[in-house]
Every structure is written in structure tokens, then in C-alpha cells.
Amino acid sequence: VPPARRSIVADLLKDHFPEIVDVRFAAAMEKDQDKIEEGKAQWQKVLERFYKDFSRSLDKAEQDLAGKRIEIPVEETDVVCELCGRKMVIKTGRYGRFLACPGFPECRNTKKLVDETPGLCPKCGARVVGRRSQRGRLFYACEKGRECGFMTWDEPVADLCPSCGSTLFKKKGRNPELVCLKEGCGYKRAVEK
């Protein structure tokens, strides 16, 4: 979760549920759980006592926040929009986070959000960038995308292959090793621990 969203959620909890985010509440709840475990309290009674107050706070929060729109502050990046020259910002859409021009609706430029890496593509020499799969798993691909077609789960490192000069990639596992993925090279060496 981006830091801006975390602070918004924390502020909402502090404003509408101050007793729950209070350290004393957590300590009292732990004591109640210990009593339940020891058989000195019934869990139904403890839960009923908690829920009575929580239910009132929840109803009040729903009324206070009804129809209100919460603005999430945007994160500005160093990436410059090539259409209008403004610094792009990070936005969140239904498919995750992406870069967008803050000049919307005049400028509608968007880009995929990628992680920079020190590597170059072993197929075409373009930059290798980190991307996320639909399930959130990090993979590495050529910045040219389908035009080149290079993709790997192995992380690019700053070291170059001593045989061909291409970027080396770190294969993870029990015995991690640095490998050259340039076609026909085959160089590999164990990762020093």
C-alpha cells in the first residue's frame, strides 16, 4: 500500500475510531483474550461488550462520511511527460498503479509504471525494466515490450558477462548463480556468499 494511502487510512481511524487505535485498548483486549484462554471469561460476552461500542462508532462514521469523497494525494515522479513537459504523477486504476500526466484532461498521456534496473536486454540492447504480473509477481522485460519479446524472472545485476559483455542475471534458488541470457553464450557462475 502506498504511503499516502496508509496515512489517509490511519487518519480516518484516528478521527472515527480513536478508542480502537489507542494502545490502552489493545492492552485491555489482550487481557480479555488471556481471560478467555484461561476460562475466566466467555468469548461471547467479551465480543458483545466490544461490538456494542464499536457498532455505535461505526454508525456514526458512516453518517459522517456519507457522500464525502476522500482525495488521495498524488506522488510526483521525475519522469517528464514527453507531450507537455510536466512531471508525471503516480495514479491508481483498476489494473494497478501507473504514470499519468497531471495536465489531464488537456494532456491524456499515461505510461506503465516500471522499476528501473541496471540491465540491458540481451536480445536488442534496450533497457530491462521490472514489471508486475497480474498476480503482483515481479518479472523483468525489455522496455520495447512485445516488439522485442525478452522476459525473465531472473533479476538483472550490474555485472557484465566476461565472455560477451552482456548483462548478467541472478538466478534464485538453493544455489543462486549469475547467468548470461544472451543466446549462444551460456556463461554462468555461482553467487559468492
Side-chain angles (χ1 to χ4, degrees):
V1 178
R5 286 190 178 191
R6 261 195 307 263
S7 78
I8 289 171
V9 171
D11 290 344
L12 282 171
L13 287 171
K14 284 178 196 169
D15 292 346
H16 298 283
F17 304 97
E19 62 281 346
I20 290 178
V21 292
D22 186 6
V23 176
R24 290 178 294 226
F25 168 80
M29 195 57 123
E30 279 188 40
K31 283 182 184 176
D32 286 343
Q33 289 172 350
D34 289 342
K35 287 178 185 175
I36 293 168
E37 187 178 354
E38 294 166 1
K40 295 178 182 175
Q42 292 181 336
W43 68 267
Q44 295 92 336
K45 297 277 187 199
V46 171
L47 203 54
E48 185 180 312
R49 193 172 57 241
F50 160 76
Y51 191 72
K52 201 180 296 178
D53 293 335
F54 178 72
S55 179
R56 272 188 247 126
S57 297
L58 188 59
D59 290 341
K60 185 173 177 352
E62 283 180 347
Q63 289 172 0
D64 292 349
L65 295 172
K68 288 190 180 174
R69 193 174 165 101
I70 299 167
E71 283 294 319
I72 298 172
V74 293
E75 295 176 60
E76 190 176 87
T77 67
D78 292 333
V79 179
V80 177
C81 175
E82 60 270 1
L83 302 180
C84 71
R86 295 180 179 120
K87 285 190 174 182
M88 298 188 87
V89 295
I90 297 174
K91 297 269 187 167
T92 305
R94 77 173 121 177
Y95 299 113
R97 295 164 42 120
F98 63 97
L99 291 173
C101 181
F104 183 85
E106 301 88 37
C107 182
R108 296 175 174 264
N109 189 18
T110 61
K111 294 180 179 182
K112 288 182 178 180
L113 188 62
V114 296
D115 296 332
E116 298 288 328
T117 71
L120 296 177
C121 177
K123 273 179 109 174
C124 71
R127 289 181 317 141
V128 172
V129 293
R131 295 201 168 134
R132 299 248 170 224
S133 69
Q134 288 181 340
R135 294 185 179 206
R137 188 169 171 213
L138 183 63
F139 69 94
Y140 302 93
C142 178
E143 69 179 340
K144 292 183 179 177
R146 291 196 175 129
E147 183 184 323
C148 170
F150 175 76
M151 176 268 170
T152 183
W153 297 106
D154 304 326
E155 180 183 358
V157 296
D159 297 356
L160 298 178
C161 176
S163 299
C164 68
S166 185
T167 297
L168 290 176
F169 291 80
K170 183 178 179 182
K171 272 198 176 297
K172 295 176 183 138
R174 281 190 187 183
N175 301 313
E177 56 186 5
L178 294 178
V179 297
C180 180
L181 299 179
K182 188 165 188 125
E183 198 171 316
C185 180
Y187 174 84
K188 62 173 126 179
R189 76 169 188 251
V191 174
E192 298 152 9
K193 295 180 182 179

mmCIF file of all heavy atoms in Angstrom, residues 98-128:
data_model
loop_
_atom_site.group_PDB
_atom_site.id
_atom_site.type_symbol
_atom_site.label_atom_id
_atom_site.label_comp_id
_atom_site.label_asym_id
_atom_site.label_seq_id
_atom_site.Cartn_x
_atom_site.Cartn_y
_atom_site.Cartn_z
ATOM 1 N N PHE A 98 -0.026 3.416 -12.182
ATOM 2 C CA PHE A 98 0.510 3.802 -13.478
ATOM 3 C C PHE A 98 0.936 5.258 -13.426
ATOM 4 O O PHE A 98 0.586 5.990 -12.494
ATOM 5 C CB PHE A 98 -0.511 3.561 -14.595
ATOM 6 C CG PHE A 98 -1.761 4.389 -14.462
ATOM 7 C CD1 PHE A 98 -1.903 5.584 -15.158
ATOM 8 C CD2 PHE A 98 -2.808 3.982 -13.653
ATOM 9 C CE1 PHE A 98 -3.048 6.356 -15.030
ATOM 10 C CE2 PHE A 98 -3.968 4.738 -13.533
ATOM 11 C CZ PHE A 98 -4.089 5.934 -14.220
ATOM 12 N N LEU A 99 1.702 5.691 -14.407
ATOM 13 C CA LEU A 99 2.110 7.090 -14.515
ATOM 14 C C LEU A 99 1.089 7.835 -15.358
ATOM 15 O O LEU A 99 0.650 7.338 -16.393
ATOM 16 C CB LEU A 99 3.490 7.199 -15.170
ATOM 17 C CG LEU A 99 4.674 6.702 -14.356
ATOM 18 C CD1 LEU A 99 5.940 6.706 -15.203
ATOM 19 C CD2 LEU A 99 4.881 7.565 -13.129
ATOM 20 N N ALA A 100 0.743 9.048 -14.933
ATOM 21 C CA ALA A 100 -0.212 9.870 -15.679
ATOM 22 C C ALA A 100 0.259 11.316 -15.669
ATOM 23 O O ALA A 100 0.899 11.769 -14.714
ATOM 24 C CB ALA A 100 -1.601 9.769 -15.059
ATOM 25 N N CYS A 101 -0.064 12.038 -16.711
ATOM 26 C CA CYS A 101 0.266 13.455 -16.776
ATOM 27 C C CYS A 101 -0.710 14.213 -15.880
ATOM 28 O O CYS A 101 -1.918 13.976 -15.938
ATOM 29 C CB CYS A 101 0.167 13.952 -18.214
ATOM 30 S SG CYS A 101 0.611 15.702 -18.342
ATOM 31 N N PRO A 102 -0.196 15.137 -15.042
ATOM 32 C CA PRO A 102 -1.100 15.901 -14.171
ATOM 33 C C PRO A 102 -1.911 16.938 -14.944
ATOM 34 O O PRO A 102 -2.797 17.570 -14.377
ATOM 35 C CB PRO A 102 -0.147 16.568 -13.172
ATOM 36 C CG PRO A 102 1.137 16.681 -13.894
ATOM 37 C CD PRO A 102 1.202 15.492 -14.811
ATOM 38 N N GLY A 103 -1.642 17.097 -16.234
ATOM 39 C CA GLY A 103 -2.364 18.067 -17.047
ATOM 40 C C GLY A 103 -3.677 17.565 -17.609
ATOM 41 O O GLY A 103 -4.252 18.180 -18.515
ATOM 42 N N PHE A 104 -4.172 16.447 -17.086
ATOM 43 C CA PHE A 104 -5.452 15.894 -17.540
ATOM 44 C C PHE A 104 -6.557 16.922 -17.296
ATOM 45 O O PHE A 104 -6.561 17.565 -16.268
ATOM 46 C CB PHE A 104 -5.737 14.592 -16.774
ATOM 47 C CG PHE A 104 -6.993 13.885 -17.201
ATOM 48 C CD1 PHE A 104 -6.973 13.031 -18.269
ATOM 49 C CD2 PHE A 104 -8.195 14.112 -16.546
ATOM 50 C CE1 PHE A 104 -8.125 12.384 -18.669
ATOM 51 C CE2 PHE A 104 -9.347 13.480 -16.939
ATOM 52 C CZ PHE A 104 -9.310 12.611 -18.008
ATOM 53 N N PRO A 105 -7.488 17.183 -18.149
ATOM 54 C CA PRO A 105 -7.845 16.476 -19.380
ATOM 55 C C PRO A 105 -7.171 17.002 -20.643
ATOM 56 O O PRO A 105 -7.303 16.411 -21.703
ATOM 57 C CB PRO A 105 -9.357 16.665 -19.452
ATOM 58 C CG PRO A 105 -9.613 17.978 -18.817
ATOM 59 C CD PRO A 105 -8.544 18.116 -17.762
ATOM 60 N N GLU A 106 -6.413 18.141 -20.557
ATOM 61 C CA GLU A 106 -5.753 18.652 -21.767
ATOM 62 C C GLU A 106 -4.739 17.651 -22.314
ATOM 63 O O GLU A 106 -4.661 17.425 -23.514
ATOM 64 C CB GLU A 106 -5.039 19.987 -21.490
ATOM 65 C CG GLU A 106 -5.918 21.107 -20.999
ATOM 66 C CD GLU A 106 -6.070 21.104 -19.497
ATOM 67 O OE1 GLU A 106 -5.104 20.784 -18.759
ATOM 68 O OE2 GLU A 106 -7.194 21.392 -19.040
ATOM 69 N N CYS A 107 -3.941 17.067 -21.401
ATOM 70 C CA CYS A 107 -2.943 16.070 -21.801
ATOM 71 C C CYS A 107 -3.348 14.731 -21.189
ATOM 72 O O CYS A 107 -3.486 14.609 -19.984
ATOM 73 C CB CYS A 107 -1.556 16.489 -21.300
ATOM 74 S SG CYS A 107 -0.255 15.335 -21.794
ATOM 75 N N ARG A 108 -3.531 13.734 -22.024
ATOM 76 C CA ARG A 108 -4.011 12.422 -21.570
ATOM 77 C C ARG A 108 -2.925 11.354 -21.600
ATOM 78 O O ARG A 108 -3.213 10.168 -21.658
ATOM 79 C CB ARG A 108 -5.194 11.977 -22.430
ATOM 80 C CG ARG A 108 -6.387 12.892 -22.282
ATOM 81 C CD ARG A 108 -7.510 12.491 -23.238
ATOM 82 N NE ARG A 108 -8.685 13.285 -22.992
ATOM 83 C CZ ARG A 108 -9.692 12.904 -22.222
ATOM 84 N NH1 ARG A 108 -9.674 11.727 -21.639
ATOM 85 N NH2 ARG A 108 -10.726 13.690 -22.040
ATOM 86 N N ASN A 109 -1.663 11.769 -21.540
ATOM 87 C CA ASN A 109 -0.555 10.831 -21.619
ATOM 88 C C ASN A 109 -0.481 9.951 -20.366
ATOM 89 O O ASN A 109 -0.558 10.450 -19.248
ATOM 90 C CB ASN A 109 0.765 11.606 -21.791
ATOM 91 C CG ASN A 109 1.934 10.693 -22.103
ATOM 92 O OD1 ASN A 109 1.758 9.555 -22.520
ATOM 93 N ND2 ASN A 109 3.139 11.196 -21.900
ATOM 94 N N THR A 110 -0.353 8.643 -20.554
ATOM 95 C CA THR A 110 -0.146 7.697 -19.457
ATOM 96 C C THR A 110 0.948 6.719 -19.859
ATOM 97 O O THR A 110 1.219 6.527 -21.047
ATOM 98 C CB THR A 110 -1.419 6.895 -19.117
ATOM 99 O OG1 THR A 110 -1.805 6.134 -20.253
ATOM 100 C CG2 THR A 110 -2.544 7.799 -18.670
ATOM 101 N N LYS A 111 1.572 6.118 -18.847
ATOM 102 C CA LYS A 111 2.613 5.112 -19.090
ATOM 103 C C LYS A 111 2.506 4.043 -18.025
ATOM 104 O O LYS A 111 2.025 4.300 -16.926
ATOM 105 C CB LYS A 111 4.019 5.729 -18.969
ATOM 106 C CG LYS A 111 4.375 6.738 -19.998
ATOM 107 C CD LYS A 111 5.788 7.218 -19.723
ATOM 108 C CE LYS A 111 6.222 8.232 -20.750
ATOM 109 N NZ LYS A 111 7.589 8.661 -20.520
ATOM 110 N N LYS A 112 3.013 2.862 -18.343
ATOM 111 C CA LYS A 112 3.103 1.810 -17.341
ATOM 112 C C LYS A 112 4.169 2.201 -16.335
ATOM 113 O O LYS A 112 5.176 2.808 -16.686
ATOM 114 C CB LYS A 112 3.480 0.473 -17.976
ATOM 115 C CG LYS A 112 2.375 -0.136 -18.786
ATOM 116 C CD LYS A 112 2.799 -1.480 -19.334
ATOM 117 C CE LYS A 112 1.661 -2.104 -20.115
ATOM 118 N NZ LYS A 112 2.044 -3.399 -20.666
ATOM 119 N N LEU A 113 3.929 1.859 -15.077
ATOM 120 C CA LEU A 113 4.895 2.123 -14.031
ATOM 121 C C LEU A 113 5.879 0.956 -14.002
ATOM 122 O O LEU A 113 5.483 -0.189 -13.859
ATOM 123 C CB LEU A 113 4.184 2.255 -12.682
ATOM 124 C CG LEU A 113 5.012 2.715 -11.511
ATOM 125 C CD1 LEU A 113 5.566 4.113 -11.747
ATOM 126 C CD2 LEU A 113 4.178 2.718 -10.255
ATOM 127 N N VAL A 114 7.153 1.265 -14.163
ATOM 128 C CA VAL A 114 8.166 0.213 -14.211
ATOM 129 C C VAL A 114 9.272 0.506 -13.204
ATOM 130 O O VAL A 114 9.484 1.646 -12.820
ATOM 131 C CB VAL A 114 8.781 0.070 -15.626
ATOM 132 C CG1 VAL A 114 7.740 -0.376 -16.623
ATOM 133 C CG2 VAL A 114 9.430 1.363 -16.083
ATOM 134 N N ASP A 115 9.968 -0.541 -12.783
ATOM 135 C CA ASP A 115 11.124 -0.403 -11.901
ATOM 136 C C ASP A 115 12.376 -0.361 -12.764
ATOM 137 O O ASP A 115 12.573 -1.225 -13.626
ATOM 138 C CB ASP A 115 11.225 -1.594 -10.938
ATOM 139 C CG ASP A 115 10.039 -1.685 -9.991
ATOM 140 O OD1 ASP A 115 9.453 -0.632 -9.686
ATOM 141 O OD2 ASP A 115 9.718 -2.807 -9.557
ATOM 142 N N GLU A 116 13.225 0.640 -12.528
ATOM 143 C CA GLU A 116 14.482 0.743 -13.264
ATOM 144 C C GLU A 116 15.427 -0.364 -12.799
ATOM 145 O O GLU A 116 15.443 -0.727 -11.624
ATOM 146 C CB GLU A 116 15.130 2.108 -13.017
ATOM 147 C CG GLU A 116 14.296 3.277 -13.495
ATOM 148 C CD GLU A 116 14.242 3.397 -15.002
ATOM 149 O OE1 GLU A 116 15.227 3.030 -15.674
ATOM 150 O OE2 GLU A 116 13.200 3.853 -15.509
ATOM 151 N N THR A 117 16.217 -0.895 -13.702
ATOM 152 C CA THR A 117 17.223 -1.905 -13.357
ATOM 153 C C THR A 117 18.540 -1.511 -14.017
ATOM 154 O O THR A 117 18.554 -0.693 -14.938
ATOM 155 C CB THR A 117 16.827 -3.315 -13.861
ATOM 156 O OG1 THR A 117 16.954 -3.349 -15.291
ATOM 157 C CG2 THR A 117 15.428 -3.697 -13.430
ATOM 158 N N PRO A 118 19.663 -2.104 -13.583
ATOM 159 C CA PRO A 118 20.946 -1.772 -14.205
ATOM 160 C C PRO A 118 21.192 -2.542 -15.508
ATOM 161 O O PRO A 118 22.231 -2.371 -16.132
ATOM 162 C CB PRO A 118 21.958 -2.190 -13.135
ATOM 163 C CG PRO A 118 21.286 -3.294 -12.398
ATOM 164 C CD PRO A 118 19.820 -2.955 -12.411
ATOM 165 N N GLY A 119 20.244 -3.385 -15.909
ATOM 166 C CA GLY A 119 20.496 -4.281 -17.028
ATOM 167 C C GLY A 119 20.079 -3.771 -18.392
ATOM 168 O O GLY A 119 19.229 -2.898 -18.533
ATOM 169 N N LEU A 120 20.709 -4.385 -19.416
ATOM 170 C CA LEU A 120 20.336 -4.147 -20.804
ATOM 171 C C LEU A 120 19.857 -5.461 -21.402
ATOM 172 O O LEU A 120 20.322 -6.543 -21.031
ATOM 173 C CB LEU A 120 21.527 -3.613 -21.604
ATOM 174 C CG LEU A 120 22.060 -2.239 -21.175
ATOM 175 C CD1 LEU A 120 23.282 -1.855 -22.011
ATOM 176 C CD2 LEU A 120 20.993 -1.170 -21.292
ATOM 177 N N CYS A 121 18.930 -5.365 -22.322
ATOM 178 C CA CYS A 121 18.326 -6.542 -22.940
ATOM 179 C C CYS A 121 19.370 -7.349 -23.717
ATOM 180 O O CYS A 121 20.073 -6.798 -24.566
ATOM 181 C CB CYS A 121 17.200 -6.097 -23.874
ATOM 182 S SG CYS A 121 16.425 -7.452 -24.764
ATOM 183 N N PRO A 122 19.468 -8.656 -23.456
ATOM 184 C CA PRO A 122 20.438 -9.479 -24.186
ATOM 185 C C PRO A 122 20.032 -9.727 -25.642
ATOM 186 O O PRO A 122 20.845 -10.166 -26.443
ATOM 187 C CB PRO A 122 20.470 -10.785 -23.396
ATOM 188 C CG PRO A 122 19.204 -10.826 -22.632
ATOM 189 C CD PRO A 122 18.790 -9.406 -22.410
ATOM 190 N N LYS A 123 18.779 -9.408 -25.996
ATOM 191 C CA LYS A 123 18.330 -9.603 -27.383
ATOM 192 C C LYS A 123 18.584 -8.376 -28.245
ATOM 193 O O LYS A 123 19.072 -8.482 -29.367
ATOM 194 C CB LYS A 123 16.831 -9.921 -27.404
ATOM 195 C CG LYS A 123 16.501 -11.384 -27.242
ATOM 196 C CD LYS A 123 15.013 -11.593 -27.243
ATOM 197 C CE LYS A 123 14.547 -12.265 -28.499
ATOM 198 N NZ LYS A 123 13.116 -12.595 -28.446
ATOM 199 N N CYS A 124 18.218 -7.169 -27.717
ATOM 200 C CA CYS A 124 18.280 -5.975 -28.569
ATOM 201 C C CYS A 124 19.101 -4.828 -27.987
ATOM 202 O O CYS A 124 19.312 -3.828 -28.667
ATOM 203 C CB CYS A 124 16.869 -5.492 -28.892
ATOM 204 S SG CYS A 124 16.017 -4.761 -27.482
ATOM 205 N N GLY A 125 19.523 -4.930 -26.721
ATOM 206 C CA GLY A 125 20.350 -3.882 -26.127
ATOM 207 C C GLY A 125 19.588 -2.739 -25.474
ATOM 208 O O GLY A 125 20.189 -1.831 -24.908
ATOM 209 N N ALA A 126 18.253 -2.758 -25.505
ATOM 210 C CA ALA A 126 17.451 -1.722 -24.838
ATOM 211 C C ALA A 126 17.472 -1.965 -23.321
ATOM 212 O O ALA A 126 17.990 -2.981 -22.861
ATOM 213 C CB ALA A 126 16.022 -1.737 -25.369
ATOM 214 N N ARG A 127 16.883 -1.048 -22.543
ATOM 215 C CA ARG A 127 16.865 -1.214 -21.084
ATOM 216 C C ARG A 127 15.957 -2.381 -20.693
ATOM 217 O O ARG A 127 14.955 -2.653 -21.340
ATOM 218 C CB ARG A 127 16.312 0.046 -20.407
ATOM 219 C CG ARG A 127 17.212 1.230 -20.458
ATOM 220 C CD ARG A 127 16.630 2.441 -19.749
ATOM 221 N NE ARG A 127 15.215 2.611 -20.047
ATOM 222 C CZ ARG A 127 14.296 2.988 -19.163
ATOM 223 N NH1 ARG A 127 14.624 3.241 -17.929
ATOM 224 N NH2 ARG A 127 13.037 3.119 -19.508
ATOM 225 N N VAL A 128 16.336 -3.043 -19.593
ATOM 226 C CA VAL A 128 15.479 -4.067 -18.986
ATOM 227 C C VAL A 128 14.808 -3.392 -17.792
ATOM 228 O O VAL A 128 15.472 -2.758 -16.975
ATOM 229 C CB VAL A 128 16.295 -5.300 -18.523
ATOM 230 C CG1 VAL A 128 15.427 -6.256 -17.723
ATOM 231 C CG2 VAL A 128 16.887 -6.015 -19.722
#
